[in-house]
Amino acid sequence: MNIKELLKAKKCNCGMEHSCDIKEIIIESGGISKIHGLLTEYNSIVLVADKNTYAVCGNDVSKQLGEKLESTHIFECDGFLIPNEKAIEELNGKLTEKTDLIIGIGSGVIQDLCKYVSFNLQMPYFIVATAPSMDGYASKGAAMIIGNIKVTYNAHVPKAIIADTAILKDAPMDMIKSGYGDVLGKFSCLNDWKLSSVINNEFLCEYVYDLTYEMLERTKDLGEQLLARNEEAIKTLMEALVGVGIAMAYVGNSRPASGSEHHLSHFFEIVGILKNEPYFMHGTDVAYSAVYTQKLREELLKIDVPSNSKRLSREAWEADIRKIYLDAAEGVIELQNKIKMYDKQDINICREKWTEIKSVLSEAPSVEDMKKYLESVELDITEFEKMYGEKKINDAIWYAKDLKDRYSVLWLHYFLNAR
Ligand SMILES: [Zn+2]
Ligand SMILES: [Zn+2]
């Protein structure tokens, strides 16, 4: 797969013209030395990093900018930098009327902040990747924490992604594992996409589905080589992470890359932030969560004929949501009032299509296979169980779906097994 080929627009059998606004993708050893050549259109650049990412390659990137460097903003933070109102204000304060480009150095959060702030100002941005840790590099979505809730805004893609594999291979190992986990999660989300296309007739582009699956296939067996920091394996992982982002741009939303496993991981992150409880790095959480969403599929596969199950009363549901989401509950309730996903669940459709539904559910790798992939990068599911405990994991399985307006196996499982 040639990642640059993906930047060319193409007419698809699904009826869409798939395109992506990224102009340059550099994933290679020594990639940073090519930044200078990408700057002809720009004159006043603000460089953004945090303490750690600046230490990785800040000086090298600075040198590439020369006199075009307007200023450098380095976020000071202990632990995780949170992409919230405070961080947005801080970054906005560094931009001037002259600024014509933002270059972020980092991975998830720096990227989301640069994306969100530059989009609101209609200004381009580049990202210099410091870790193959998640698949947001090429995506339009900016995952922010606003009013204590994780909100993914539809923003824009970077004009350029620069990923120097000689730097990426030395990224902290937990970030490499996280990137691998984010890719593994595609087994779960692609299955959810197909499930929704069967149950809800949701749009599914075969080309984008296959493209994402192909990147997953190329990456899934690289666990050991990633642990050994093999640069070729790191390059393949990064190509998958960027490629999946392009797949999202192709359909205009995150459907090819985010389903039930992401909803669980968002649950742990949001509740973690609300209650000041620990949570795993994004892709690691996604990979662990994908084991649990697979458990749900295997549970559902045991059902011979779906029967209408007990539904929670509206009052009981609201009470649970308030108990779990605290300050963020109002937003969750409002979202579900708006999209009426509960009203759309239809037992007749499940019965009519049960054979087809089961055939989709049976396509995803088994719980045992998923655990083996995790073990290939020394991720142990019992760590996940220890961190969150049974109650929190169950709460996530029941209520993570309410954070989103997207159908997944969580809805089917809730609907057919509701307490
Ligand atoms: Zn298509
Ligand atoms: Zn992800």
Side-chain angles (χ1 to χ4, degrees), residues 11-16 18 203-208 250-251:
K11 272 217 163 341
C12 181
N13 290 338
C14 76
M16 283 182 93
H18 298 305
F203 166 76
L204 183 148
C205 166
E206 298 277 354
Y207 165 71
V208 173
Y250 278 179
V251 293

Side-chain angles (χ1 to χ4, degrees), residues 88-230:
I88 293 168
E89 204 186 304
E90 209 177 309
L91 179 49
N92 270 324
K94 296 291 164 180
L95 305 173
T96 67
E97 301 228 310
K98 279 196 311 189
T99 314
D100 56 10
L101 178 71
I102 296 174
I103 298 185
I105 301 176
S107 55
V109 178
I110 289 287
Q111 147 97 345
D112 286 321
L113 276 168
C114 291
K115 194 186 307 195
Y116 181 85
V117 167
S118 64
F119 178 70
N120 284 331
L121 298 169
Q122 292 300 306
M123 185 188 289
Y125 78 101
F126 290 2
I127 184 78
V128 179
T130 51
S133 56
M134 47 91 222
D135 65 13
Y137 286 113
S139 89
K140 280 190 174 180
M144 308 296 288
I145 308 277
I146 303 292
N148 285 325
I149 188 164
K150 180 156 182 149
V151 192
T152 303
Y153 292 94
N154 216 356
H156 60 177
V157 294
K159 284 286 170 225
I161 299 171
I162 300 99
D164 189 330
T165 51
I167 287 177
L168 298 184
K169 80 171 175 37
D170 293 327
M173 187 45 73
D174 54 355
M175 297 186 92
I176 296 173
K177 291 181 186 184
S178 171
Y180 174 72
D182 211 4
V183 175
L184 274 191
K186 308 315 169 215
F187 277 125
S188 167
C189 76
L190 287 174
N191 195 269
D192 282 339
W193 194 7
K194 227 183 217 183
L195 182 70
S196 188
S197 85
V198 169
I199 296 183
N200 306 313
N201 293 316
E202 185 183 325
F203 166 76
L204 183 148
C205 166
E206 298 277 354
Y207 165 71
V208 173
Y209 180 98
D210 291 346
L211 179 71
T212 312
Y213 211 93
E214 187 196 322
M215 292 184 276
L216 171 55
E217 284 282 324
R218 290 175 74 218
T219 312
K220 68 183 176 34
D221 298 319
L222 295 180
E224 261 179 54
Q225 295 171 59
L226 292 171
L227 278 186
R229 300 183 181 277
N230 173 297

Side-chain angles (χ1 to χ4, degrees), residues 176-418:
I176 296 173
K177 291 181 186 184
S178 171
Y180 174 72
D182 211 4
V183 175
L184 274 191
K186 308 315 169 215
F187 277 125
S188 167
C189 76
L190 287 174
N191 195 269
D192 282 339
W193 194 7
K194 227 183 217 183
L195 182 70
S196 188
S197 85
V198 169
I199 296 183
N200 306 313
N201 293 316
E202 185 183 325
F203 166 76
L204 183 148
C205 166
E206 298 277 354
Y207 165 71
V208 173
Y209 180 98
D210 291 346
L211 179 71
T212 312
Y213 211 93
E214 187 196 322
M215 292 184 276
L216 171 55
E217 284 282 324
R218 290 175 74 218
T219 312
K220 68 183 176 34
D221 298 319
L222 295 180
E224 261 179 54
Q225 295 171 59
L226 292 171
L227 278 186
R229 300 183 181 277
N230 173 297
E231 198 170 330
E232 261 320 295
I234 296 277
K235 182 169 191 270
T236 304
L237 170 61
M238 190 63 185
E239 284 176 347
L241 292 167
V242 172
V244 166
I246 296 174
M248 292 190 249
Y250 278 179
V251 293
N253 61 54
S254 65
R255 189 43 129 162
S258 168
S260 49
E261 72 302 326
H262 272 73
H263 302 172
L264 294 188
S265 88
H266 293 168
F267 177 95
F268 297 122
E269 186 183 347
I270 287 165
V271 172
I273 292 169
L274 284 167
K275 299 188 175 169
N276 208 8
E277 292 167 356
Y279 53 93
F280 291 101
M281 202 172 285
H282 171 74
T284 305
D285 231 3
V286 163
Y288 284 140
S289 295
V291 173
Y292 270 81
T293 58
Q294 184 53 28
K295 283 188 184 185
L296 305 185
R297 291 185 191 97
E298 292 182 5
E299 237 177 78
L300 286 164
L301 280 167
K302 290 181 197 148
I303 298 176
D304 283 331
V305 184
S307 61
N308 216 348
S309 44
K310 303 187 285 291
R311 303 286 292 272
L312 273 188
S313 71
R314 169 80 200 190
E315 289 71 30
W317 173 76
E318 266 200 42
D320 277 359
I321 293 288
R322 287 186 202 285
K323 207 161 34 187
I324 290 166
Y325 290 117
L326 309 176
D327 285 352
E330 223 38 69
V332 175
I333 292 168
E334 211 176 284
L335 174 72
Q336 290 307 324
N337 283 345
K338 193 173 96 193
I339 63 168
K340 301 193 172 11
M341 195 76 105
Y342 283 91
D343 300 337
K344 289 177 192 158
Q345 308 302 308
D346 187 342
I347 190 70
N348 292 322
I349 292 180
C350 291
R351 282 199 188 116
E352 262 165 45
K353 298 188 172 177
W354 193 239
T355 316
E356 208 184 335
I357 290 169
K358 276 178 118 170
S359 127
V360 170
L361 293 173
S362 65
E363 281 177 19
S366 67
V367 168
E368 288 317 306
D369 285 345
M370 289 304 287
K371 283 186 187 167
K372 278 191 199 127
Y373 288 127
L374 290 183
E375 281 160 17
S376 77
V377 290
E378 296 173 354
L379 289 177
D380 178 354
I381 191 76
T382 59
E383 294 296 320
F384 176 78
E385 288 153 356
K386 252 188 267 164
M387 171 92 99
Y388 296 138
E390 204 183 321
K391 166 144 193 340
K392 196 170 187 175
I393 294 174
N394 275 330
D395 280 350
I397 286 170
W398 291 115
Y399 293 116
K401 68 187 192 320
D402 298 282
L403 291 168
K404 304 286 164 178
D405 60 356
R406 176 167 295 166
Y407 191 82
S408 73
V409 72
L410 297 177
W411 281 99
L412 186 63
H413 176 261
Y414 180 92
F415 185 53
L416 298 180
N417 283 282

